[in-house]
Amino acid sequence: MSHMMQPSIILLKDGTDTSQGVGQLLSNIDACYAIVDVIKTTLGPRGMDKLIHDGRRATISNDGATILKLLDVVHPAAKLLVDIAKSQDSEVGDGTTTTTILAGEFLKEAKQFIQEGVHPQLIIKAYREALRIALKRLEEIAVQIDKTDNNKTRDLLRKIARTSLSSKLIGGIESDHFSEMVVDSVLSLDDDLDIDLIGVKQVPGGSMQESFLVKGVAFKKSFSYAGFEQQPKKFISPKIITLNIELELKAEKDNAEIKLNNPEQYQSIVDAEWKIIYDKLEKIVASGAKIVLSKKAIGDLATQYFADRGLFCAGRVAEDDLLRVTKATGSKILTTVSKVNDSDLGVCGLFEERQVGNERFNIFTECAHSKTATVVLRGGAEQFIAEAERSLHDAIMVVRRTLKNTSIVAGGGAVEMDISAHLKSHARSIKGKSQLIILAFAKALEIIPRQLSENAGFDATNILNKLRKKHQDKDGVWYGVDMKTEDVADNFNNFVWEPSLIKRNALVSSIEAATLVLSVDETVKNPESEQNQHDQQRQQQMMGGMGNMR
């Protein structure tokens, strides 16, 4: 009796692309490694920068998270690495390149096992075990810092900021100048260390050395109205009022619709309008405030009124700048001036409007409540200043983290080499396949000192051999790559310091990414979403065509 052929079951709609099995896993690993290939040359003090041009503007950066954001990666597995870099950036602020490179290297090491037929779950299990041992070792070797001595703490923070800046564009001659600025800005914050209260303003022109820190608030002069030039530009110990009110005549007529029977009634309405605004202005002047700041517009009438009475005003102040002013001066943002108490006003030691490059800046300093700081960056090209801002963000985040978590480790590949040596000796006590996988994990960690050496043009094999020897001896814990002498050195004594939290987060995130990629054995591409995108593009093209016809 002949068996009838079973009809094939169609489960997914036509056009669905499915790829599965070992081939799919290997192609995902290759895609992730392609990203690492792009980013690995940016690691360390001698790392190169990437220029990414999106058709409108060019960005030059060596910050891992920034590069990955701008690359617009479409491969679904490779997107995981982008997300990991973003999470490292938001969580710790620095170490994004390290995290991405480690994740790629863990996957590369896993690839050979998969090709030999080892089940991915075995690799994942062994990797997680290796991570547990690595984190335990990291805790053992991390050095706790003493925060009781302010001068020592300050010195330590400066060294950590300098290590973070060393791999950036501004890490050369200006690193001392900027690391000082970074530490000052973070130490001027409240105990909760809210980074949003550190403003960074970019002013093209001048040299990088002309960048300065304001221990208070600085923001660009916004739109200026008639009468602005007559206002005083400098005050000593002025009271400050911060508003969220529009001080313009048109404000009232926008809010009402009135039908009149008699044209003479119109004048009384106009008079009422003037009375309303003059009432507001009188109350502001009567409050004793000398500086009036508002989130909304302050029109010609109000500007001239304040100028005649020796007050300074600025309208359309950005929300974050206004928030910094309230933090620094102790003022409150008011939505009505019907009753202004003295406690609602802020105060600062000195206010002045100053020329910085081509811009006029309003600068508040010597603030009693000063819980905020502003860095004003100068420099030639806009791209250069933008990269300087990203570099400062990394350094600020690192200093902030160090203040919150007080343990540090040496950089320059020292930690990775030590954990690698520790894992190698530990692996000897394990039987079975997991021994080989943990050894592969240990080997993957060596990519950091190797890449640092390669990016600097050193002989990586020679340096790694020296490091392996040093880390086998128990007294060489902090030996890493020395960029100055093209050799190995005790990086703890050389003050190449980083918060241990960065390393911890980098290890955890990279293993998370690697195990996630290894646990995927099938990708299903749904055609519907692609069709929708195609339709949207068609629609946009048609709309564009119609616009041209007009």
Side-chain angles (χ1 to χ4, degrees):
M1 185 178 141
S2 64
H3 284 287
M4 287 178 67
M5 278 187 69
Q6 282 281 324
S8 60
I9 298 168
I10 297 170
L11 182 65
L12 301 170
K13 71 153 69 172
D14 195 27
T16 303
D17 175 23
T18 70
S19 16
Q20 63 192 118
V22 173
Q24 169 63 21
L25 186 48
L26 294 175
S27 98
N28 280 350
I29 291 175
D30 289 342
C32 290
Y33 207 76
I35 284 212
V36 176
D37 260 345
V38 172
I39 215 170
K40 68 183 182 186
T41 54
T42 69
L43 185 74
R46 301 278 187 276
M48 306 297 277
D49 296 348
K50 303 288 174 193
L51 192 156
I52 299 162
H53 190 259
D54 63 358
R56 282 196 311 281
R57 65 174 190 277
T59 306
I60 297 173
S61 181
N62 94 357
D63 176 48
T66 306
I67 295 167
L68 290 178
K69 263 182 223 160
L70 293 170
L71 280 180
D72 199 14
V73 176
V74 292
H75 192 285
K79 270 188 177 169
L80 278 173
L81 288 199
V82 180
D83 292 341
I84 286 292
K86 282 183 186 170
S87 89
Q88 176 83 3
D89 195 41
S90 60
E91 185 63 29
V92 194
D94 200 10
T96 45
T97 310
T98 306
T99 308
T100 314
I101 291 175
L102 280 176
E105 202 62 22
F106 288 139
L107 286 170
K108 189 181 171 189
E109 288 295 330
K111 186 177 176 180
Q112 59 190 10
F113 292 112
I114 286 161
Q115 283 168 329
E116 286 163 14
V118 178
H119 196 283
Q121 285 301 339
L122 286 175
I123 302 172
I124 291 172
K125 188 177 173 221
Y127 267 3
R128 286 190 176 141
E129 176 61 14
L131 175 66
R132 191 184 61 74
I133 299 159
L135 295 180
K136 195 173 166 204
R137 176 65 180 167
L138 184 65
E139 263 175 46
E140 281 170 21
I141 59 173
V143 178
Q144 288 295 326
I145 52 172
D146 174 23
K147 285 209 304 193
T148 49
D149 184 340
N150 283 350
N151 288 339
K152 270 190 184 169
T153 306
R154 194 184 179 78
D155 197 41
L156 167 101
L157 294 176
R158 207 179 295 125
K159 282 163 182 159
I160 283 174
R162 198 176 300 141
T163 303
S164 175
L165 290 172
S166 68
S167 61
K168 312 291 183 192
L169 268 174
I170 54 176
I173 42 172
E174 293 100 351
S175 66
D176 287 353
H177 176 56
F178 281 110
S179 52
E180 192 75 46
M181 270 164 59
V182 164
V183 174
D184 282 346
S185 61
V186 176
L187 289 179
S188 65
L189 294 178
D190 243 339
D191 291 342
D192 62 351
L193 299 177
D194 182 359
I195 294 299
D196 292 338
L197 295 177
I198 298 177
V200 181
K201 304 293 174 192
Q202 302 176 15
V203 186
S207 70
M208 284 311 285
Q209 276 95 340
E210 287 174 45
S211 304
F212 60 92
L213 175 77
V214 176
K215 290 183 181 176
V217 189
F219 55 86
K220 282 179 198 170
K221 183 184 93 168
S222 48
F223 190 83
S224 50
Y225 289 88
F228 187 83
E229 288 74 20
Q230 297 153 31
Q231 294 184 344
K233 300 291 186 259
K234 187 173 180 181
F235 291 94
I236 291 166
S237 300
K239 286 185 177 176
I240 299 153
I241 187 167
T242 44
L243 307 168
N244 189 3
I245 307 171
E246 204 164 2
L247 295 174
E248 271 195 292
L249 269 170
K250 68 176 180 60
E252 309 309 328
K253 71 168 184 273
D254 284 354
N255 300 335
E257 183 182 316
I258 303 166
K259 289 180 179 164
L260 302 172
N261 301 326
N262 183 350
E264 281 144 29
Q265 292 173 323
Y266 181 70
Q267 189 57 43
S268 64
I269 288 164
V270 172
D271 291 347
E273 246 187 309
W274 282 75
K275 184 177 181 325
I276 288 168
I277 192 162
Y278 273 125
D279 270 358
K280 286 180 185 172
L281 299 178
E282 276 166 25
K283 280 180 175 140
I284 290 168
V285 174
S287 72
K290 285 289 175 198
I291 295 168
V292 185
L293 301 177
S294 180
K295 197 167 135 188
K296 295 185 177 160
I298 295 179
D300 292 337
L301 171 80
T303 305
Q304 189 64 58
Y305 185 92
F306 290 140
D308 295 343
R309 286 155 185 77
L311 273 75
F312 175 91
C313 70
R316 299 182 199 274
V317 179
E319 190 170 0
D320 53 345
D321 289 328
L322 204 60
L323 186 70
R324 284 190 204 109
V325 172
T326 60
K327 281 278 184 188
T329 63
S331 65
K332 296 185 182 118
I333 296 179
L334 305 175
T335 48
T336 172
V337 287
S338 54
K339 190 180 178 209
V340 181
N341 299 319
D342 220 30
S343 60
D344 298 333
L345 303 180
V347 69
C348 76
L350 177 68
F351 166 82
E352 59 180 330
E353 188 188 289
R354 206 160 88 206
Q355 190 80 23
V356 180
N358 295 332
E359 305 282 355
R360 298 288 292 173
F361 264 76
N362 299 327
I363 299 175
F364 299 79
T365 46
E366 298 170 27
C367 307
H369 294 260
S370 194
K371 300 282 189 284
T372 173
T374 310
V375 178
V376 180
L377 285 177
R378 307 296 313 277
E382 278 180 30
Q383 285 91 341
F384 194 95
I385 304 180
E387 174 61 2
E389 178 172 349
R390 285 190 287 272
S391 309
L392 281 182
H393 169 263
D394 281 10
I396 285 168
M397 287 291 280
V398 167
V399 169
R400 172 179 181 248
R401 281 286 164 202
T402 312
L403 270 176
K404 285 192 166 185
N405 304 68
T406 54
S407 66
I408 56 166
V409 290
V415 181
E416 286 82 4
M417 283 308 290
D418 185 78
I419 293 174
S420 176
H422 179 71
L423 281 169
K424 279 175 188 167
S425 66
H426 178 84
R428 292 192 196 104
S429 65
I430 297 169
K431 291 186 177 72
K433 288 177 191 160
S434 57
Q435 179 191 30
L436 294 172
I437 300 167
I438 288 175
L439 283 171
F441 183 106
K443 187 183 166 201
L445 289 172
E446 291 182 352
I447 186 65
I448 299 297
R450 180 185 293 280
Q451 200 60 51
L452 284 172
S453 307
E454 279 180 13
N455 289 354
F458 302 163
D459 179 349
T461 311
N462 178 30
I463 283 180
L464 269 174
N465 283 336
K466 283 183 180 176
L467 282 176
R468 284 190 196 114
K469 188 170 183 332
K470 282 284 181 194
H471 283 273
Q472 272 168 358
D473 309 334
K474 293 300 172 207
D475 58 340
V477 174
W478 296 125
Y479 269 79
V481 185
D482 185 0
M483 290 293 165
K484 293 194 180 94
T485 60
E486 199 171 327
D487 201 356
V488 301
D490 187 326
N491 277 348
F492 204 85
N493 292 341
N494 281 356
F495 306 121
V496 182
W497 294 347
E498 296 184 69
S500 58
L501 190 80
I502 287 186
K503 293 294 174 200
R504 183 189 166 80
N505 221 58
L507 281 168
V508 172
S509 299
S510 52
I511 281 294
E512 258 179 33
T515 52
L516 206 51
V517 172
L518 289 172
S519 63
V520 172
D521 75 335
E522 180 167 6
T523 304
V524 181
K525 253 190 181 173
N526 197 332
E528 189 179 357
S529 54
E530 285 182 13
Q531 187 61 42
N532 286 348
Q533 283 172 359
H534 184 65
D535 291 347
Q536 280 171 358
Q537 283 167 355
R538 287 268 314 269
Q539 208 171 353
Q540 282 166 358
Q541 284 164 359
M542 283 168 67
M543 293 297 282
M546 284 163 72
N548 293 340
M549 281 162 66
R550 283 198 200 110

